[in-house]
Amino acid sequence: MRKHSSITLLSLALLAGFVFLQAKASFATVGNRIVGAIATSSRVPLRANVSPLAMQAKDLGPAAANTRLPWITLSFQMTPAQQSALSQLLLEQQEPGSPMYHQWLTPEQFAAQFGVSPHDSAAVASWLTQQGFTINAISRGGQWISFAGTAAQVRQAFGTEIHTVQLNGETHLANLTAPRIPSALASMVSSIQGLHDFRPRPRNIVRRVSPEYTSSTSGNHYLAPGDFYTIYDVNPLLSSGINGTGITIAVMGQVDLNLSDVATFRTASGLPANVPTVKLYGTDPGAPSFKAGAPTTGDVDEAQLDVEWAGAVAPNASILFVNSTAAFTSLTNAIDNNLAPIISISYGDCETNFGSSINSYNQLLEQAAAQGQTVVAPSGDSGATDCDGGTNAQGSPIATATNGLAVDFPASSPYVTGVGGTTLTEGSVNYWNTANGANSGSAKSYIPETVWDDTSSTNGLSASGGGVSVAFAKPTWQTGTGVPNDYSRDVPDVALAASPNHDGYLICSENYNTGPLSIVDAGPSCQNGYRTSGSGALTVVGGTSASTPSFAGILALVMQKTGAKLGNADPVIYALANGNHYNNVFHDVTVGSNSSPCTMGSIGCPSGGSIGYGAGIGYDLATGWGSVDAFNLANLWTSVSVTNLGAQLPSTTTVTASPVSSTQGATITFTAAVAPASGTGTPTGTVQFLVNGSEVGAPVPLSNGAAVFATSSVPAGDQTVTAFYSGDSTYGTSKADASITVISATNPDFSISPLSGTLTAASPGQSTAAFPLTFTSTNGLAGTLTLTVNSSVNEYNPSFSNATFNAAANTWSLPIAANGTATAALTIGTVHPLIVQGSSTSSRLAVPDRGLPGKRRGLGGLGGTIAGGGMALAALWMIALPRRRRLWTPLLAFALLAALGFSAGCGNNAGGARLAPNPGTSTGSFPVVVTATISSGSTTITHSTNLTLVVQ
C-alpha cells in the first residue's frame, strides 16, 4: 500500500478554495462566520470533548512534548438554517414525486450548501499552521479540517495536556481536560477528534474449532457462502446475473489487510478471483506480528471477515478496503470523498463513549445520505448493555453488566442501517446435507432463527445489541407493528445470523485468536480448503460484525437490481415492513432475548438481575424486523413509496423541573419549551413527558410553544426527565433531558444540598473558595458515603474537608449518622504538574495557569498576510504539484488569493525554539460533578450534584 504524499497547507487551502469556487456555479454559497482575527488570547472550552474511556483510565502523567498525534480533526457544525435546509433535502431525496427524488449531491455541492465558507475554511487552516500543525486534508464537503502535530502544539493551541493513561492493561494517549478553542471559532466548531487514541471496537467474536463443518455427526455447522445463499435466498439473484457487478462496497478498516488470505478464501469458497483494492489515509496502521496461540486485538480478523463476506454475498462487486489508524477516520474519508455507494463499518461503541463527537459523526452520516451513500453498521455484541462487555484488565471476559442499558453508534444514527444478530435454530429438523455442494454450502433451505444470545461466564456478554438511543429522537419513518412508543431512535433495523457458537461464519485469516472453543493448532488457516494444515481446525467468526458486511453485500445486489443508488436504506426497509409484503421480505424472529446479567445495585439493574429486550411479533429491540429474503428484498424494493416522512423543519426542545430535588410523593412540575431550530415561528402539537424512559401522564398540548405537566408519582432516586415533542405539519420531532433527585419517603436514603452552584477562582492559578456540601440522612440511613469528582477535574487537585482521601481509588470517605447531617467543603485548585517544553529533561513543575497571551510564543509559523505573499504562495504550490500542472498553477493561485481576500494575521509570532509551559486551566467555565454513594443492606444508593467551576 502507498501512503498519501504530504501536501503543504498552502496547496490544500488553495485547492479547497478552488473546489468551493467551482461549486458556486450551481449552488448558492454559504456566508462567512469568522469575523476578525482568530486569537488564542480569548478561548472557550469544548464541552464533552474528553473521552469517557480516558476518564475511567489511570493517569500516568503528561506525555512527552514531542509525542505526535498524526490525525486530529476539527469538525464544523452547520448553522441552524443549514440544518433546516439539509433536513428538508434528505426528506425530498427519498420521496417519489419530489423534484429532488434521488438527486444525490457531490461533496462539492454539499459543501456549497451545508459546509463552512471558503473564507472560513482557509482562515482556520491558516491559524492551525501558525500553531505549528501540518494540514493532512481539508474536507471536500466543507465539514472538517484534519491536521497533525505534537502534544506540545496541542497544548499551545488548545490549552489541554495530552496524558499517557492506562485502561484494562492497555496504554493510551488522551486529553483529560476539555480543549479550548479561540472564541472566534466557538459558533462553528462542534468537536475535536484525534486527541486520544482509543479506537472503536471491532464487533466480531472468533473461534478456532474442530473441522466438522458440514457433518451432523458433531452437531455443529459453520456457514460457507453457499449456505448463506441458500438460507437467505441469494441464489435466484446470482443465477440471474445479479451478483454485484458494477457496484462498489467500501469496507472500513484500521489495520492492514492480508490480500493473500482473501484470495485463499475466495478459492476455498468457489468464488471468482476478484482482488479487493486498498486505499490508505494518513499513517499506515500496519499489522500485528503473529505467533500461534497469541491473542490479538481482533482487528485483523475483522478486516478479513468484512472484506471476505461482503465480497462473498456480492461476489462480483468491487471491494474497496479503506484503511487508516482508526475506523472512523476511514469512515470520514470514505464519505467525504464519496468513495462508494455502499459503506460497511463493523466498528462502534456505546453512544456515551463518543462525547460531543457523536454529533459531528452524525452530521457526517447526514452528508453520506445526501450523497446517496448507504451505510450499514453492527448493533453490538453485548446485548442491550453496549457500554459493557469485552475483557477486564486480566483478560477475562466480562459477563455481568454494570453500566445500564445502552446502544451502539453508528448503528443508532437515523442515517445508518443497524444490523443485529440471530442464531440459526434447527430443532429436530435436518436442514443440512452431509456433503458440501456449490460454494461449499450444505444448507438445504431457510433455517428458523432466534435472538442471538451466547452470554455465559465463559463467553462473556455475547448477544445481539439493541435498544433505545439516548442521543437521537425517533425518525419519522420508524413506525410499525412492535416499534416501541419510546420517542427515540430504536436499534437494530434488521438482523442476520451472528452466533459464533452455532453456525458461525468461516473465514481465512492469519490471526491466531484464542478463545473458549480454541484447540491446539499448527500452521496458518485455509491451507486445506478452510482448514489449517496442522490439526485441520477452522477459523469461525460471529458477532454483528459478521451480519453487517453480509447485509452490505445484500444491499449491493439490491442496488444492481434497481439500477440506482439507495441512499439511507431505512425509510424503504420500514415502508416494506409496513406494507403488504412483510412476510415475503422478512423472517420475523419472535423467540429469545438480548438480556444481559447485571450486578444488583448497578445502573438500571432490576431485582431479577437481568436487563434487555425480548423478541416479538413484528419489530423488536433485539432483531429489528428480523432477517431478510434477499431475492424478495431486491425485487420488491421499488414496490413501495416512501411518503408522509413528516415535518420539514427541525425543532428544538428544552425542559426544566421544579423543584429539582424533592421527597417522594411531592409534586414536581415539568415545563417544556419548543421552538424552531432557526428562524421564527410557533410549533404546535404535543409534548410527552417521560421519567427514565417511562411515560408519565398523557401528551400535553403546546400553548404558545410551551407545555406544562405536574406529577407526584416520580420514583425515588436520581432520575432523568425527558420531554419529547411530537412534531406538526411544519416542524419535526425533538427531545430534551433534565436531571432531578427524588428522596425516598420510607426507605433509608440521603439528600445533597445544594444540587447546583458555582466554585469561583479569582484568576488562573488561584484555588477556589471552599464550597460546602451538606448530606442529610433520612429514614435512618447510617454508614460511610463515598465521594467522587468527575475525572476531568481530578487534574486540578480537588479536596474535601472533613473527608478521608483514598489515594489509590481517588475517592473520599465521609461518615454520616442516622437522621443526621454531614458536611464536606469542596475546594478546587487550578495549578497542576506540567512538562516544560524545549528542555532536555521532562521535569514536572507546578506552573500557575496564566492563560495564553495574545503574543504567540513558540515555533515559527506563517505570519503576515496571505494576500501580500502571493508570489511565494504560488511558488510553493508549484513545488507541490506535478510538473505538467505547473503552467496554469500561478495564474490560478493569484486568482484564488484575490477571491479569498483575507488576512492570516491572527496575532504576532515571536518565533523562537522554545514553547511556553503548559498554562493549565485558562479562564472559562468547567463542569464539576460530585457523586456520593452508600450501601444500605443489599441496595446501593447514589446521588449527584452538578456544579460549575468558573476561572475568572
Side-chain angles (χ1 to χ4, degrees):
M1 290 180 290
R2 183 176 64 86
K3 297 182 181 179
H4 290 286
S5 60
S6 176
I7 304 176
T8 67
L9 165 65
L10 298 176
S11 65
L12 279 170
L14 292 172
L15 182 59
F18 173 70
V19 166
F20 280 118
L21 290 175
Q22 286 291 92
K24 285 184 180 181
S26 56
F27 288 90
T29 56
V30 297
N32 298 335
R33 296 159 67 182
I34 298 177
V35 179
I38 303 174
T40 53
S41 57
S42 174
R43 296 189 294 184
V44 295
L46 272 178
R47 300 297 185 201
N49 216 121
V50 178
S51 168
L53 295 175
M55 296 170 69
Q56 300 167 24
K58 179 182 179 181
D59 184 9
L60 302 180
N66 62 353
T67 299
R68 190 154 184 82
L69 287 80
W71 196 278
I72 310 170
T73 300
L74 198 72
S75 294
F76 305 126
Q77 60 186 346
M78 288 182 279
T79 66
Q82 286 177 315
Q83 185 61 67
S84 269
L86 179 57
S87 298
Q88 166 104 21
L89 174 65
L90 293 176
L91 295 175
E92 292 179 352
Q93 285 179 321
Q94 291 287 358
E95 191 159 5
S98 165
M100 292 303 295
Y101 178 65
H102 282 191
Q103 297 298 305
W104 312 117
L105 304 185
T106 65
E108 288 70 31
Q109 290 170 333
F110 187 89
Q113 296 182 81
F114 309 115
V116 297
S117 71
H119 167 277
D120 290 350
S121 179
V124 174
S126 177
W127 176 78
L128 288 169
T129 302
Q130 291 183 44
Q131 307 309 305
F133 295 114
T134 301
I135 302 297
N136 293 326
I138 298 177
S139 165
R140 290 173 59 189
Q143 301 297 297
W144 50 266
I145 293 179
S146 172
F147 52 98
T150 65
Q153 290 163 343
V154 167
R155 186 179 65 184
Q156 175 87 2
F158 299 111
T160 185
E161 189 90 48
I162 302 300
H163 281 232
T164 303
V165 298
Q166 190 175 69
L167 183 66
N168 292 335
E170 297 180 352
T171 301
H172 294 273
L173 295 172
N175 61 304
L176 299 181
T177 59
R180 296 184 294 280
I181 57 173
S183 299
L185 306 180
S187 67
M188 58 184 292
V189 174
S190 59
S191 66
I192 303 177
Q193 296 93 50
L195 297 182
H196 65 80
D197 62 0
F198 289 100
R199 303 200 299 178
R201 295 184 289 174
R203 300 308 194 180
N204 65 53
I205 301 172
V206 184
R207 312 286 192 225
R208 266 306 162 82
V209 298
S210 61
E212 300 292 342
Y213 69 98
T214 59
S215 173
S216 61
T217 58
S218 68
N220 294 319
H221 302 274
Y222 307 101
L223 299 180
D227 298 310
F228 190 96
Y229 299 160
T230 298
I231 294 168
Y232 293 120
D233 203 19
V234 179
N235 278 318
L237 291 172
L238 300 179
S239 62
S240 63
I242 304 300
N243 51 24
T245 298
I247 310 301
T248 299
I249 304 173
V251 173
M252 304 301 100
Q254 57 184 29
V255 71
D256 284 359
L257 180 70
N258 189 317
L259 292 174
S260 176
D261 280 344
V262 177
T264 302
F265 173 83
R266 296 186 71 87
T267 298
S269 302
L271 302 173
N274 187 1
V275 181
T277 56
V278 178
K279 194 167 187 65
L280 175 68
Y281 288 94
T283 304
D284 191 330
S289 64
F290 298 103
K291 185 167 67 176
T296 72
T297 63
D299 285 323
V300 171
D301 289 324
E302 186 65 74
Q304 303 305 137
L305 162 66
D306 294 354
V307 168
E308 289 169 12
W309 272 91
V313 177
N316 282 42
S318 298
I319 305 299
L320 174 63
F321 185 70
V322 185
N323 199 19
S324 70
T325 55
F328 278 89
T329 299
S330 301
L331 178 66
T332 298
N333 284 282
I335 293 172
D336 193 65
N337 292 291
N338 208 5
L339 294 181
I342 296 174
I343 295 174
S344 176
I345 177 169
S346 288
Y347 290 84
D349 209 337
C350 69
E351 291 178 318
T352 55
N353 278 350
F354 283 90
S356 61
S357 295
I358 195 170
N359 296 318
S360 300
Y361 286 130
N362 194 59
Q363 184 173 294
L364 182 74
L365 293 164
E366 287 183 277
Q367 179 183 342
Q371 294 172 177
Q373 293 176 292
T374 305
V375 182
V376 294
S379 66
D381 295 349
S382 299
T385 52
D386 198 72
C387 289
D388 291 284
T391 56
N392 57 25
Q394 292 72 43
S396 301
I398 296 172
T400 304
T402 58
N403 293 309
L405 295 169
V407 296
D408 203 81
F409 181 84
S412 66
S413 168
Y415 308 102
V416 171
T417 299
V419 185
T422 68
T423 298
L424 303 179
T425 309
E426 295 89 339
S428 60
V429 179
N430 181 13
Y431 287 97
W432 301 89
N433 291 311
T434 57
N436 300 322
N439 304 112
S440 297
S442 60
K444 296 179 180 180
S445 66
Y446 170 72
I447 301 173
E449 297 164 275
T450 61
V451 178
W452 165 48
D453 187 355
D454 292 333
T455 296
S456 68
S457 59
T458 301
N459 297 332
L461 296 176
S462 182
S464 176
V468 181
S469 169
V470 298
F472 305 110
K474 189 179 293 298
T476 53
W477 43 257
Q478 192 165 41
T479 61
T481 302
V483 175
N485 188 26
D486 54 18
Y487 311 101
S488 299
R489 163 71 164 133
D490 294 317
V491 184
D493 301 302
V494 294
L496 295 173
S499 171
N501 293 348
H502 192 80
D503 315 320
Y505 295 71
L506 293 164
I507 67 168
C508 295
S509 176
E510 63 180 325
N511 187 8
Y512 292 85
N513 193 300
T514 60
L517 300 183
S518 296
I519 61 173
V520 176
D521 188 30
S525 68
C526 295
Q527 299 300 296
N528 179 18
Y530 297 110
R531 301 185 177 102
T532 63
S533 58
S535 64
L538 304 166
T539 302
V540 177
V541 182
T544 51
S545 277
S547 52
T548 294
S550 301
F551 192 69
I554 289 176
L555 290 179
L557 304 181
V558 172
M559 181 178 168
Q560 183 188 359
K561 177 68 177 179
T562 60
K565 282 186 172 182
L566 307 179
N568 183 2
D570 285 334
V572 175
I573 289 173
Y574 282 77
L576 286 167
N578 286 294
N580 297 324
H581 300 293
Y582 174 75
N583 291 325
N584 295 323
V585 174
F586 300 97
H587 305 293
D588 195 2
V589 178
T590 60
V591 178
S593 79
N594 64 356
S595 294
S596 300
C598 57
T599 300
M600 294 295 295
S602 64
I603 300 173
C605 186
S607 57
S610 179
I611 49 176
Y613 306 97
I617 296 173
Y619 182 90
D620 58 64
L621 294 169
T623 62
W625 291 111
S627 65
V628 298
D629 182 299
F631 177 75
N632 289 335
L633 181 71
N635 282 281
L636 293 171
W637 190 267
T638 58
S639 69
V640 294
S641 293
V642 179
T643 57
N644 300 317
L645 286 179
Q648 302 295 307
L649 303 175
S651 65
T652 60
T653 295
T654 58
V655 61
T656 58
S658 180
V660 295
S661 178
S662 65
T663 301
Q664 190 175 7
T667 298
I668 304 175
T669 300
F670 306 138
T671 302
V674 183
S678 64
T680 59
T682 304
T684 60
T686 62
V687 171
Q688 176 66 62
F689 293 95
L690 305 94
V691 174
N692 284 350
S694 298
E695 297 174 1
V696 287
V700 180
L702 285 174
S703 176
N704 294 321
V708 180
F709 175 75
T711 179
S712 58
S713 301
V714 179
D718 283 6
Q719 312 290 2
T720 298
V721 177
T722 300
F724 178 86
Y725 169 55
S726 64
D728 60 17
S729 59
T730 303
Y731 299 101
T733 61
S734 57
K735 70 174 183 176
D737 295 331
S739 297
I740 61 173
T741 296
V742 178
I743 307 303
S744 174
T746 56
N747 297 323
D749 207 339
F750 71 94
S751 63
I752 306 177
S753 179
L755 287 176
S756 62
T758 301
L759 297 90
T760 302
S763 65
Q766 299 296 313
S767 296
T768 66
F771 186 91
L773 292 170
T774 300
F775 305 84
T776 303
S777 164
T778 61
N779 304 317
L781 179 77
T784 300
L785 296 167
T786 299
L787 308 182
T788 60
V789 178
N790 53 312
S791 59
S792 60
V793 178
N794 285 339
E795 190 173 7
Y796 301 106
N797 304 320
S799 62
F800 289 96
S801 65
N802 302 327
T804 302
F805 182 58
N806 182 341
N810 208 27
T811 61
W812 291 261
S813 298
L814 179 67
I816 188 170
N819 301 322
T821 61
T823 300
L826 172 63
T827 301
I828 298 178
T830 54
V831 178
H832 62 97
L834 304 171
I835 294 179
V836 177
Q837 303 301 311
S839 65
S840 60
T841 66
S842 58
S843 303
R844 300 186 68 182
L845 304 176
V847 182
D849 178 353
R850 301 302 179 193
L852 282 178
K855 185 174 181 180
R856 177 178 173 269
R857 297 173 293 172
L859 300 175
L862 294 178
T865 303
I866 286 185
M871 290 292 291
L873 300 182
L876 285 171
W877 198 13
M878 290 179 67
I879 293 171
L881 289 176
R883 183 181 302 276
R884 64 179 180 275
R885 299 185 184 177
R886 293 180 186 172
L887 292 176
W888 54 267
T889 295
L891 292 176
L892 180 58
F894 285 120
L896 290 172
L897 289 170
L900 293 174
F902 71 94
S903 171
C906 302
N908 296 326
N909 181 358
R914 181 183 175 92
L915 288 175
N918 182 348
T921 308
S922 69
T923 58
S925 300
F926 308 90
V928 179
V929 181
V930 177
T931 301
T933 302
I934 191 171
S935 296
S936 177
S938 60
T939 302
T940 299
I941 305 168
T942 299
H943 292 300
S944 299
T945 180
N946 296 289
L947 309 174
T948 301
L949 167 64
V950 175
V951 182
Q952 297 177 337

